[in-house]
Amino acid sequence: MGDAHCNKAARLLSLSGLFPIFKPKGPTSAAYLNQLKAKLLKEAGIEHQGMKRKQQKLKMGHGGTLDSAASGVLVVGIGKGTKMLTTMLTGSKKYTTVGELGKATDTLDALGKITEEKPYDHITKLDMEGVLSKFVGDIMQVPPIYSALKKDGATLSSLAKKGEKVEAKPARPVTVYNISLKAFQPPLFTLDVECGGGFYIRSLVSDIGKELSSCASVKELTRTKQGQFTEENAVPEENWTIDGIAEALEQGPPSTIVDPSAKRFKAQDSNKEAEGPALSDLDCDQK
């Protein structure tokens, strides 16, 4: 490795903190993160590392899984910043979703098989606005079967895709700060949602359909904010360079930058040392 690559490698491995990228529809969160990681390793002249975490020189992970059908803000941790990713599981998040009335699917979104179709002509804009308040505040929600939640070490989604019988997880407490109806053009409707961690937009849309004596599924989903990060400050792919990531870390909120020389660091709104694995599949903030 030449001096230039040595300098780049040293700089890359010294980076620590959190920054956002914007995942498009199509790739999984893990696959998109791997694209970023591979590009940085190539620039630094570091050979592609094995899958085992102990073999990896560059620690990177993301907090808050977005399904392949969803797009939006994905917070990336690099270096010691991977330990701050657990804070992304509980922070406020914002989504814009387009729901479709009259159609239910096994995955609760447009990728699934249609399981039920019901009339929706009786539903008015006032009806829709009237039920939204029932889903604001501290509520109970049943997660979708197709999700990143796990059973015996495997995600429910992977088990369901294999044809194995998967039972829905019990309802659990979640928090919704605000829901607003942005557009209503039956069968489509658009919602802006601000919620806490562990909340499923797919379950919300499905529950709204049931509350309106019909059914509904998610047609489009975009996460516009995760914790302190918004889509406006996401690092574009053309800036996926060592300098670009370093600049993003410097411009980010102070609480998301980690001093490599520090033995301890504090995550935002916490007086304790943040703990958590350097994972690329942290289980949270799903569709």
Side-chain angles (χ1 to χ4, degrees), residues 13 21 34 40 54 70 92 113 126 129 133 172 246 250:
L13 297 178
I21 58 177
N34 285 337
L40 294 175
K54 291 183 179 180
S92 169
K113 297 178 181 178
L126 287 177
E129 291 175 334
S133 61
R172 59 184 186 175
E250 291 172 1

Side-chain angles (χ1 to χ4, degrees), residues 11 14 20 26 43 100 110 170:
R11 190 179 187 206
S14 73
E43 181 187 353
E100 183 174 6

